[in-house]
Structure formats: C-alpha cells, structure tokens
Amino acid sequence: MKKRYILNYDENQYGAVVAQDGAETMVQVDDGDMTPVNFRPVLNGKAISIRFGGRLHLIHLTNSGGNGSVQATIGGRPVSLTVMDELRAQALESLGDAAGSGTICADIPGLVFQIKVSRGQIVHKGEPVIVVEAMKMQNELVAAISGTVTEVPVSEGDSVNPGDPLVIIEPEPGA
Amino acid sequence: MATSKTRRKFDKVLIANRGEIAVRIIQGLREMGLGTVAVYSEVDRTALHVLMADEAVFIGPSPAAESYLVGDKILAAARKTGAGAIHPGYGFLSENGPFSRQVEEAGLVFIGPTAESMEVMGDKLASRRKMRSSGVPVVPGTDEAVTDPEVAIGIAEGIGYPVLLKASAGGGGKGMRIVRESGEMASALRQTMGEAGSAFGNDAIFVEKYIENPKHIEVQVLGDGQGNAIHVFERECSVQRRHQKVIEESPSPSLTPELREKICAAAVQTAAAIDYRGAGTVEFILAPDGEFYFLEMNTRLQVEHPVTEMVTGTDLVHAMVKIALGEGICYRQEDLRQHGWALEFRLYAEDPSRNFAPSIGRIESMTIPQGPGVRLDLGIYEGFDVPIHYDPMLAKLIVWGEDREQAIARSRRVLSEFTLHGPVHNLPFHQWALEQPSFIDGSYTTHFVGEEFDPANWMPELDAGQAEALVAATALFEALRRSGQATDEKNVDCAAGNWRRNALRSMTGNK
C-alpha cells in the first residue's frame, strides 16, 4: 500500500510517497527514486531519527492544531509546514494546472464563520467567497480567479488550519 | 561557614519576581541553606518558580500592576510566611526606591541597594551631576533641564552636532531623539518634551553629544554599603533590538588591557561615590576613538549577570545575600580573574521576522542542549503556557569557551541542539548572529541589528539533503500519527494496523 502526501513550507511544495513493502518502508520525495528508509520515532514520540541521503538526521516534530500543521526543527532550525494526505492531494490534483489559484485555502487557524458561495455557483475574481474567524477577527477570503465553484469541503463552524482547502473553483473555459 | 544558621539576620527569603530570575535566585538561596518563598499571580499558579520554592503565596490577578508590582501585597506575603528578607530580582520592584524603603521600615532586609542609591541613579540629571563631581567621565552635555530651543542650540554648538535629546526620567530607548543640525532643534525639542511629559510625567530634557557607532560596555560591581566597592570586570551588550539587549558577552572584544583597567576603575569609583550596597552595574558607552563615558547605573542584579559568573567563577546571588547578611563583600579584588569567554543568548518568545513581536502559547516540546560549557537559566517547562502579561523572555542560554573563537563555535553547536516547539522564538536569530562577520570579528556596534538584520531574508536555507529528509520524516510522522489515531478510535482498518506494526518493527531495529 502507498500513501501520498503534499507538503508545504516556506514557498516550496513537495510531494512525498510513503509505501510499505513487507517489512520495509519506502519513501519517495518529489520525482526522486523510491528508496527504503531507516527511521525510528525517538524521544517519546517527539522526534524522528532518519538516515537519508547518507546522513543521519534528528528531526523534532510537533503537531500544532491537529489538522496538517506541523512544527519541525532540523539542525536547530525551526520550520513550520503543512502536510496533506492523499485525499486532499487528489482533490487538488483533479484541478490540474489550475490547482492553487483556484483553491482557496485557510491561511490562519480559525473557525469557518460564513460560506458565501455554493457548489455550481459562478464567481468572479475578487468576489468574497468565505469568512474565517480567528481571535475575534473576521477574515474575508476572495476568489483568486473567475470560474465555477466545484467543491466546498468545509461547513460553517468547522475549525480549519493553514493550508486546508476551503473553496475550490474551476476556471471558466478559456480563462 | 563561620556564621551559624541561628545567628543569621534572616533565614528565609521572599523572591519578589517570576520567571527564570526567580528560579535562579531560589537555586542560589537553597545552596546557602536559606528558605525560599515564591509569590505568584493568577496566571502563574503553576509557573516553574512556584513549583521550585519551599512556600508560595498568591498575590493577585495576572496583570503585574495588580500583583508583582504591589509592594503591600509582597510585604504581606513576607509577614505571613516569616520571610526576613526580600530579593527583588530585576524589573518589577527592583529599582523602586519607595519599595526598598518600605521593606526596611517594616524591619525586613532588602537584598539590594538603599532607596537613596536608587533615587540618585534613577534620575539621569542627578546621576550625571553626581558622577561629574566624583570625577567619572560623562558624555559632554548639560547638567540642567532645557526647555528653550535657543539655549539648546547654544549648547549643541558648544559640544558639536550631532546631539541627543534625552528625557531625564526616560529609559529603554523611550524619550530620545537625535538632532543633526540647528534647524531641527525647535521641533525635536518640542516633540521630545511632549513624549517625556506623557510617558514619564516629567518633561525635563537634557542635551548631550551623540556618539556615533557606540559600543555598550558595562561593568559589574559589588559594594558593601560602607563606601567599599570592587568590580567583577566588564560585559559587552551591543547586540540590541528595540534598545533591548539580546546577546551579551564577557570579556568585551573591544577593550585593551589598559582600557579595561581604566573603565573598571571608573565603575568602582561610581559605586564608592554613592556608598553602593549589593550588586550593581555601571554602564558606559565606548566611542570609536577609545573614549568612554558614564551612561547610567543599574541598581540591581542584571539579566546578563551569568556571563560574569562564568568567566570569573563567582556567584553574584550568593555575594548579594552575604552583603545583605552583613558579611561584607565575599571576594577580594586581587583574587578575581577573567578566565575564558562567555556568551549569553536571551531566549524570547518573539518573531524576528515580524519586528521581534512577542508571541505566546504552550511550550509543546522542548529539548535542552547539554555538554561542555553550557548553562541554561530556565523559566519554563514542557506544557507551560507562556502568558501574555509579562516580558516574553523564557530562558537564557550561556555558553563558555576557552576563548572567544571556541565560545562562538561551541554556541553554534549548542544552538543546533536546542529545540523548542510552541510559541515563535528567537533561537534562529542567535544562529544568524553567530554567522555575521562583524559579530565574529567583534567589531559590531549597537546598530548591529538595525543595519545588518533583514527581517525578510535572514533565515538560513536548509540544504537539499536536509529539506528532503524533513519532507520524508514529516510524511512518515503523519502516516504514524494517522495510524495511531485509527487504533485509538478502535476504527482499525488493515492498512492502519500494518502501519503501526511496521513502525514498531522499525523502532526495534528489525528491518
């Protein structure tokens, strides 16, 4: 069996495939080779020791918020990243080239306060589509492209984390 | 020990502070066989200093103005527990003359200087006059408050531009303005007076020469309150952001042995001139031409005292307590030496990329660096919620090396082993600083952060191998977490079960 993840940190996006082949765990990062990895969860689950690229790395990992946001430290450098599982990755993939610009993601942790669009609705670039509330402040997110709303994977009152897709818009043909 | 416990002036001390300094003082007192009383506000009920003390007294709501800053509540807590002395730490009531007086009038010992010392040094004009008359060099400028722009221009022309307008009652970088030519004077004076009046309730302003590219050098002193004083050498604190220190070191890379002798002698002269009692710090600015000038005296134990302790092998908290017990200064000047080099890195919950804005939150996970030359003064623990009400300093990391080069190399190693998850913090800023040429060669000035730190582009990149390893580890971490969750919820599917078994096998080393 295989699991596919999409990870984001800084401005970079990575794809990772984790596969189980008998007793062996294999990992593929981006378009690299599928390679067996030697790793152990250590420090009472707070870190992973992993041999990768001929070096041993001790990587501290903490779930922050429970829904894809991860705080990591490698070599004393803290990194905030998000990790999405295959389902969400597929949702993004189905959008092909428009992925990203047509997908409105949460940029802060918060609660979905108001959804202003529904599936099938045509929206125009710049139109408000959803409101996320964080620390008593309401942040209105707008459509980055014009098109048709194909999916709204959240409901009002849901708690969301940075990177969670909120509204997916398919661009209008020829746009 | 010569004095038996029963004959001491006090055998229990209340620490009127919180955070790492309260912890450090409790440690010092315990080593001396003294009892310890902590005080705490609502939000600090389970703070580290409370957990460590022998006794703890609740003193009110979380805002400091309703708890740690209320002298009456602190005194009531001392009476209730029978503490015979109060150690104020730094900040809060540590330089509050009326509080020191109140403590002594209540028949308790204040572990620190007299109210008179604090009051002289707390007033910039009064301290300038006092130092000038004692023969300590002060920055050229006025000793009297100025309100008339024409008078200010006359003074500025006498000492030469640029000049600095400074609120007499100011501090921490507030109420200061640089004037580079006479045309700027009238409006600059008006604005500075307005700020000083509203911030400090006192609009007295004085004019002094503005020293370009200064170094901040300070000297640790100990006084017995009878006019005897010694110095415990210097520290350099030129790495500052928002006029607050973030990295300190001892010795200073900027002093020659001759200059060191002169500046330390001036500090002793300062302390002796006011019959200083306890531990204090005399701050100087050092101009690029090697001239130094008295800036101010901090009449308390400083945040950065550990670098002095590391290079001189002293314990300044013990020394303060012994002076308060009436045992005098426990070191002789001729026995004190500087050995090796120490750097201190203040760990703040703050975001260097966002103009060092404070951050809060739970300490989710922490791995503490160890090994040769490491001292960590901690105020937090895993699971502690960093409150919004106080200074965001969480800890101080102090690193010692045989010389500056080794101390820097060791600091890089130690910082690479330090992990803290939870609030955003400034450990990577320290790693950045240790790679800057002007820090490495010691030529950095107080403008270091302002001139060399680019908030948009400072975080060192991960190398390609690290980035890949991080991606792989995070994906594995997520896979493990999801399978763990499924098991916990008794919603086990085959795949998740497999993941878990395989992870366990991986942990036990069977591949």
Side-chain angles (χ1 to χ4, degrees):
Chain A
M1 58 152 299
K2 273 188 186 179
K3 290 202 174 186
R4 172 139 204 259
Y5 298 96
I6 299 289
L7 299 97
N8 284 283
Y9 78 85
D10 290 351
E11 311 277 279
N12 311 311
Q13 184 168 87
Y14 294 85
V17 178
V18 179
Q20 207 69 58
D21 181 10
E24 202 158 58
T25 302
M26 317 271 283
V27 173
Q28 179 184 14
V29 176
D30 280 344
D31 48 6
D33 294 331
M34 190 61 122
T35 358
V37 285
N38 189 349
F39 77 101
R40 283 151 202 263
V42 293
L43 303 182
N44 200 20
K46 294 196 292 187
I48 283 180
S49 169
I50 183 168
R51 183 176 289 283
F52 210 86
R55 263 157 83 194
L56 199 55
H57 302 270
L58 180 64
I59 302 175
H60 286 74
L61 294 150
T62 305
N63 254 303
S64 46
N67 202 6
S69 287
V70 173
Q71 267 190 299
T73 301
I74 178 165
R77 195 202 137 162
V79 182
S80 291
L81 56 164
T82 58
V83 51
M84 271 184 285
D85 67 16
E86 54 190 347
L87 292 176
R88 265 192 248 165
Q90 274 165 10
L92 291 178
E93 242 173 39
S94 68
L95 292 161
D97 293 341
S101 60
T103 304
I104 293 145
C105 293
D107 53 354
I108 46 167
L111 288 176
V112 176
F113 180 74
Q114 188 185 7
I115 297 171
K116 294 178 171 250
V117 293
S118 53
R119 212 170 149 169
Q121 188 177 333
I122 291 168
V123 292
H124 299 284
K125 186 175 169 179
E127 193 176 314
V129 291
I130 193 162
V131 182
V132 176
E133 186 186 75
M135 299 174 106
K136 311 244 184 261
M137 282 177 36
Q138 288 167 11
N139 299 281
E140 194 173 68
L141 301 177
V142 299
I145 57 166
S146 300
T148 308
V149 175
T150 55
E151 204 179 334
V152 184
V154 292
S155 310
E156 286 177 4
D158 282 1
S159 69
V160 293
N161 280 295
D164 287 354
L166 306 176
V167 175
I168 298 168
I169 302 164
E170 190 162 338
E172 54 200 25
Chain B
M1 220 180 230
T3 336
S4 77
K5 197 176 171 182
T6 48
R7 267 187 280 137
R8 286 187 184 180
K9 274 168 82 177
F10 51 84
D11 52 20
K12 190 190 278 187
V13 179
L14 181 145
I15 303 94
N17 217 300
R18 64 178 301 281
E20 65 82 25
I21 193 61
V23 170
R24 191 262 172 272
I25 294 165
I26 290 169
Q27 290 169 333
L29 293 167
R30 185 157 291 154
E31 288 161 7
M32 299 179 79
L34 292 160
T36 54
V37 181
V39 290
Y40 61 95
S41 70
E42 184 68 43
V43 77
D44 273 342
R45 281 183 184 281
T46 56
L48 187 56
H49 72 286
V50 177
L51 308 186
M52 289 186 64
D54 297 328
E55 295 168 75
V57 181
F58 175 69
I59 52 162
S62 305
E66 297 170 50
S67 49
Y68 297 106
L69 284 170
V70 184
D72 289 340
K73 290 185 175 180
I74 307 278
L75 274 175
R79 276 193 213 100
K80 185 176 163 192
T81 51
I86 292 178
H87 196 308
Y90 54 70
F92 296 131
L93 293 167
S94 63
E95 292 179 281
N96 184 311
F99 178 67
S100 164
R101 202 169 274 131
Q102 200 184 352
V103 171
E104 308 227 313
E105 280 168 7
L108 304 179
V109 175
F110 183 79
I111 304 179
T114 58
E116 291 70 33
S117 294
M118 291 184 201
E119 281 155 6
V120 167
M121 289 303 175
D123 180 324
K124 287 186 198 292
L125 285 176
S127 63
R128 263 180 76 84
R129 276 196 295 269
K130 180 77 187 167
M131 288 309 111
R132 187 186 290 234
S133 66
S134 312
V136 176
V138 298
V139 179
T142 46
D143 287 346
E144 301 299 333
V146 178
T147 51
D148 179 350
E150 288 308 312
V151 174
I153 288 168
I155 295 161
E157 275 162 7
I159 58 181
Y161 286 100
V163 297
L164 191 63
L165 301 183
K166 239 171 153 180
S168 171
K174 289 186 196 124
M176 290 206 272
R177 193 165 262 101
I178 301 163
V179 180
R180 295 191 180 271
E181 52 171 57
S182 58
E184 298 170 8
M185 186 63 87
S187 77
L189 191 63
R190 205 170 44 239
Q191 287 175 47
T192 314
M193 284 173 63
E195 277 169 22
S198 62
F200 313 114
N202 173 357
D203 68 359
I205 298 296
F206 66 110
V207 181
E208 62 176 43
K209 187 162 181 61
Y210 177 65
I211 310 292
E212 308 258 15
N213 294 316
K215 296 275 222 169
H216 180 113
I217 311 283
E218 60 183 35
V219 179
Q220 178 69 51
V221 293
L222 289 169
D224 66 358
Q226 325 266 318
N228 301 305
I230 64 166
H231 70 81
V232 198
F233 298 100
E234 84 283 2
R235 297 183 284 261
E236 174 152 355
C237 314
S238 302
V239 180
Q240 307 183 358
R241 51 105 186 87
R242 295 191 315 219
H243 297 282
Q244 258 191 359
K245 302 159 189 171
V246 272
I247 302 177
E248 299 97 345
E249 61 182 309
S250 183
S252 159
S254 314
L255 297 186
T256 60
E258 298 71 39
L259 198 48
R260 174 170 296 117
E261 198 170 308
K262 274 167 66 182
I263 208 164
C264 290
V268 170
Q269 208 177 336
T270 303
I274 57 166
D275 292 342
Y276 191 75
R277 183 183 72 199
T281 294
V282 187
E283 298 194 340
F284 296 94
I285 49 175
L286 177 65
D289 62 5
E291 291 297 318
F292 63 87
Y293 308 99
F294 170 82
L295 190 62
E296 61 180 352
M297 180 167 186
N298 295 313
T299 52
R300 58 165 194 268
L301 185 68
Q302 295 271 102
V303 175
E304 57 272 23
H305 75 276
V307 292
T308 298
E309 296 183 327
M310 295 286 268
V311 294
T312 57
T314 54
D315 188 309
L316 295 170
V317 169
H318 286 201
M320 290 177 87
V321 173
K322 286 177 185 170
I323 291 165
L325 283 165
E327 296 173 13
I329 303 170
C330 59
Y331 304 110
R332 290 188 309 174
Q333 186 73 70
E334 59 271 29
D335 294 336
L336 295 177
R337 298 273 181 285
Q338 287 171 301
H339 176 58
W341 212 282
L343 296 167
E344 176 181 277
F345 305 91
R346 299 190 187 187
L347 171 53
Y348 280 104
E350 66 179 21
D351 187 351
S353 299
R354 294 188 186 179
N355 196 27
F356 302 95
S359 163
I360 52 165
R362 173 162 296 197
I363 307 296
E364 300 281 359
S365 155
M366 178 165 71
T367 303
I368 287 170
Q370 296 174 56
V374 181
R375 166 173 169 178
L376 187 62
D377 285 20
L378 262 185
I380 52 166
Y381 53 84
E382 256 184 30
F384 180 67
D385 287 303
V386 178
I388 200 165
H389 306 276
Y390 316 109
D391 185 88
M393 196 173 76
L394 308 178
K396 302 177 316 205
L397 173 67
I398 307 100
V399 178
W400 181 89
E402 288 166 26
D403 53 27
R404 196 166 186 272
E405 195 183 344
Q406 192 194 52
I408 288 175
R410 183 169 278 166
S411 297
R412 291 192 186 117
R413 183 273 294 174
V414 171
L415 284 164
S416 78
E417 295 173 0
F418 202 156
T419 299
L420 184 70
H421 289 171
V424 183
H425 57 77
N426 68 340
L427 286 173
F429 169 85
H430 295 309
Q431 295 181 307
W432 169 86
L434 288 172
E435 300 303 330
Q436 303 314 304
S438 70
F439 186 84
I440 294 168
D441 70 17
S443 66
Y444 68 98
T445 70
T446 53
H447 304 311
F448 176 67
V449 176
E451 286 173 2
E452 303 192 30
F453 182 74
D454 174 4
N457 181 27
W458 64 283
M459 190 77 103
E461 292 286 314
L462 295 182
D463 66 44
Q466 281 180 317
E468 267 196 281
L470 173 67
V471 168
T474 308
L476 289 163
F477 179 70
E478 182 69 4
L480 286 171
R481 188 180 72 84
R482 295 212 165 235
S483 61
Q485 238 173 23
T487 312
D488 291 345
E489 289 163 8
K490 304 199 192 307
N491 180 22
V492 188
D493 62 47
C494 271
N498 260 333
W499 278 108
R500 192 137 186 88
R501 273 198 299 283
N502 285 315
L504 288 169
R505 202 172 291 133
S506 182
M507 284 171 78
T508 51
N510 303 324
K511 283 199 291 172

